[in-house]
Amino acid sequence: METLVRLAEGLGRFSARFVPSAFAIAVLLTLLTMALALGWVGAAPPLVLDAWGGGFWELLTFSMQMALVMFTGYLLALTAPVKALLEWVARLPRSPRSATALMAAVSMALAYFNWGLSLVASAMLVRFIARRRPDVDYRLLVACAYFGLGATWHAGLSASAPLLVATPGHFLEKQLGVISIDRTLFSPFNVGLTLAAVALLTALAWALHPSPERTVRVEPAVLEKLGDFVPPEKPQGRLSPAEWLDHAWLLNVLFGVLGLAWLARHLWLNGGWKALNLNVVNFTFLTLAVLLHGTPARLLKASEEAGSVLHGIVLQFPLYAGIYGIFKATGLTDRIGELFVSLSTQQTFPAIVYLYSGVVNYFVPSGGSKWAIEAPYLLDAAGRLGVAPEKVVLAYAWGDMATDLIQPFWALPLLAVARLEFKDILGFLLVAFLAYLPLVTLGFFLFG
C-alpha cells in the first residue's frame, strides 16, 4: 500500500504540474484542431476560421441541457427530505468497513440518477458519516464518495451522450436518427455492466479500509468547518403580500403538481420509460427540487449555491462547439474516421472506442461535451465497419467516465467540502481504477 500511495502522490504531482486548467485545455485543443485541418486535410485558412467562429453557437441547446443536469441535481441535494434521508443512511454503518462500503454504494447509486446530485449529496453524506463514525478512514471515505463519477454516471439517467441521441432534434439526428434508451442505457449489456461495476467497487471499498493503527481519522477542526445549507429565515411580524408568497408553500406545490402531471402524461403517451431523454430528466429533477424545497425563498437561496458550480460548463462548451464546427466543415471527420477504420475490426471497435475515450477524458474532463467533437468521426468509422451506433454511444460513455476516477477536475467540489487535497485520496482511487478498467475493457471486448 505504501508503494501505491507513493505512486499515487507522484501522479498527483504530475497532474498538478503538467495538466493545465480546463479552459487552457480547450484552447490548446482548438489550436490542435486548426493545425490538423490546415496541415492534414489541407483546408483553406479562411474556411477553418469561419468554421470555428460559426460553430461556437451550434451547441447552445446541448450546453444548457448539461448545465441543468448539474444545477437540478445540486438543487435536489439541498432539499430537506434528501438531507433527512442522508442523515438516516449515515446511522446504518456498524463498522468503519461498512461505512466506506455504504458510501461507495450510495455514491454510485446517486450518480446513476444524476451526477450533480451525487457530487453534492455524497459530500453531505461524508459529513454525516464522519460525525457518527470518527473511527473511519477519512481519506477512503471521501474517495468512495467519488466512485459514482467514475463508475455509473454516464451509464445512468443523466448520461449526456445516450440521452442526447434519444432527444428529438439533437445535433446528430440527421446522421443517426433518434436512438431510444432501451437500446443504450436499458440494454442488457449496459445494465449488466453497471451492476458488475457497482458490486466490484463496493467490495473494494470494504477491503481497502486500513487497520485501526493505520487509519487516518478526520480532524475535529475539519468537522467543525463542514457546515450545512442554511435556508432563509421567515421575516417576523406582519408580512407584505410579496413576502407571504415567497415564504408560502402554495406556488411550489402548484408548480410541482403541474410538473408531475405533465410528466405522467408524457410518459403515458410516449411509451413509458423509453420516452426519457435529457429534457425529460432535467424537467423531472427541477420539478422535484421545486416541490421538495417547499417555498420560493428556500428554492432561490439554494439556486444561488447551485449556480456557483456552473462556470466551467458555461465557459468550456462554446469552445468545444467551435472545435465541432471545424470538424464538420473541413473534412477532418472523414480523415480521423479512416484512421479508426484502419486500426479496428467490427469486433474490436467498441473496446477501442472505450479505451480511446478514457484517455482523452483524462486530459479533457468535459462531462460529455467532447461527444460533440468525437461523435462525427467515431460514428463515421462505425458505419464503415458495420458497428451499430448504440454500441459506439455506450463505448464512448463508459470511456468518458472511466478516467474520472483519477482525474481531479470533477472532484473539486467534493474536495472543497471535505477539506482535502486530491493527492490525499488518489491512492485509493488508483486502486479502484486498476480494478475497474480491466472489468469494463473485457466487457466491451466480449459483449460490446
Side-chain angles (χ1 to χ4, degrees):
M1 188 65 182
E2 287 296 325
T3 302
L4 187 59
V5 170
R6 287 196 294 270
L7 176 63
E9 289 176 346
L11 182 59
R13 289 192 296 269
F14 172 84
S15 298
R17 184 174 182 183
F18 294 106
V19 179
S21 67
F23 174 77
I25 289 173
V27 174
L28 290 173
L29 281 175
T30 300
L31 297 176
L32 174 62
T33 306
M34 287 181 169
L36 289 174
L38 293 169
W40 190 22
V41 179
L47 173 62
V48 174
L49 186 63
D50 291 344
W52 174 69
F56 256 63
W57 317 118
E58 291 197 24
L59 301 179
L60 289 179
T61 300
F62 183 37
S63 303
M64 187 62 176
Q65 287 167 331
M66 294 309 300
L68 282 171
V69 169
M70 182 65 176
F71 182 75
T72 57
Y74 202 122
L75 275 184
L76 192 60
L78 297 181
T79 62
V82 170
K83 178 185 176 183
L85 178 61
L86 293 174
E87 289 181 327
W88 174 81
V89 170
R91 294 194 292 267
L92 298 178
R94 293 292 179 263
S95 69
R97 288 185 184 275
S98 62
T100 54
L102 179 68
M103 183 73 256
V106 171
S107 170
M108 290 184 284
L110 290 172
Y112 182 84
F113 289 100
N114 183 286
W115 58 269
L117 173 66
S118 178
L119 273 180
V120 182
S122 295
M124 294 169 63
L125 186 57
V126 163
R127 179 165 62 230
F128 299 150
I129 290 179
R131 287 172 180 169
R132 292 184 173 275
R133 295 222 59 95
D135 56 344
V136 71
D137 189 287
Y138 189 59
R139 303 165 304 165
L140 178 58
L141 185 68
V142 175
C144 291
Y146 193 51
F147 278 7
L149 266 289
T152 56
W153 85 264
H154 218 152
L157 297 181
S158 62
S160 56
L163 286 178
L164 176 72
V165 298
T167 304
H170 67 87
F171 69 93
L172 296 168
E173 185 173 6
K174 291 182 179 179
Q175 184 175 355
L176 74 158
V178 174
I179 301 176
S180 62
I181 58 174
D182 61 314
R183 294 165 58 188
T184 53
L185 298 180
F186 291 114
S187 65
F189 169 76
N190 190 66
V191 173
L193 191 57
T194 302
L195 292 175
V198 170
L200 172 68
L201 292 184
T202 301
L204 195 62
W206 175 285
L208 279 176
H209 198 282
S211 58
E213 61 271 13
R214 297 177 63 86
T215 295
V216 176
R217 295 172 173 82
V218 62
E219 297 179 6
V222 172
L223 274 181
E224 292 178 5
K225 295 178 181 178
L226 301 181
D228 297 325
F229 169 69
V230 180
E233 295 184 0
K234 188 176 182 179
Q236 299 296 319
R238 186 179 180 86
L239 302 182
S240 68
E243 290 175 327
W244 182 85
L245 278 174
D246 283 340
H247 292 273
W249 52 264
L250 179 62
L251 294 180
N252 286 54
V253 170
L254 287 174
F255 182 96
V257 169
L258 289 172
L260 292 177
W262 178 88
L263 177 64
R265 176 175 168 79
H266 174 79
L267 296 179
W268 176 264
L269 295 176
N270 294 280
W273 55 267
K274 294 181 181 180
L276 290 177
N277 54 50
L278 267 179
N279 294 334
V280 175
V281 169
N282 283 335
F283 182 88
T284 303
F285 274 85
L286 180 60
T287 298
L288 292 174
V290 171
L291 192 59
L292 295 179
H293 270 293
T295 67
R298 182 185 173 103
L299 178 70
L300 291 174
K301 179 72 178 295
S303 297
E304 292 177 6
E305 184 170 330
S308 66
V309 299
L310 299 180
H311 57 277
I313 293 176
V314 174
L315 183 62
Q316 292 176 62
F317 271 53
L319 274 70
Y320 287 121
I323 296 173
Y324 166 72
I326 297 173
F327 270 91
K328 189 173 70 170
T330 62
L332 191 54
T333 295
D334 296 333
R335 285 295 182 90
I336 298 183
E338 292 169 359
L339 180 62
F340 267 91
V341 170
S342 68
L343 297 174
S344 311
T345 66
Q346 187 181 54
Q347 288 71 34
T348 63
F349 186 70
I352 289 175
V353 170
Y354 164 70
L355 294 171
Y356 157 80
S357 181
V359 171
V360 174
N361 180 68
Y362 185 79
F363 296 100
V364 191
S366 64
S369 64
K370 64 185 179 61
W371 171 245
I373 305 171
E374 297 168 282
Y377 58 78
L378 291 179
L379 291 170
D380 178 72
R384 300 185 194 193
L385 291 169
V387 178
E390 55 264 32
K391 293 185 178 182
V392 180
V393 173
L394 282 178
Y396 164 84
W398 278 86
D400 184 66
M401 69 178 169
T403 44
D404 281 341
L405 278 172
I406 54 174
Q407 161 57 250
F409 180 77
W410 296 109
L412 294 179
L414 172 65
L415 294 170
V417 172
R419 303 298 199 274
L420 288 180
E421 295 183 23
F422 193 64
K423 66 181 181 181
D424 297 323
I425 66 173
L426 185 55
F428 298 111
L429 293 176
L430 186 58
V431 174
F433 176 73
L434 293 176
Y436 165 82
L437 183 67
L439 170 72
V440 181
T441 304
L442 184 62
F444 274 102
F445 266 120
L446 295 179
F447 307 110

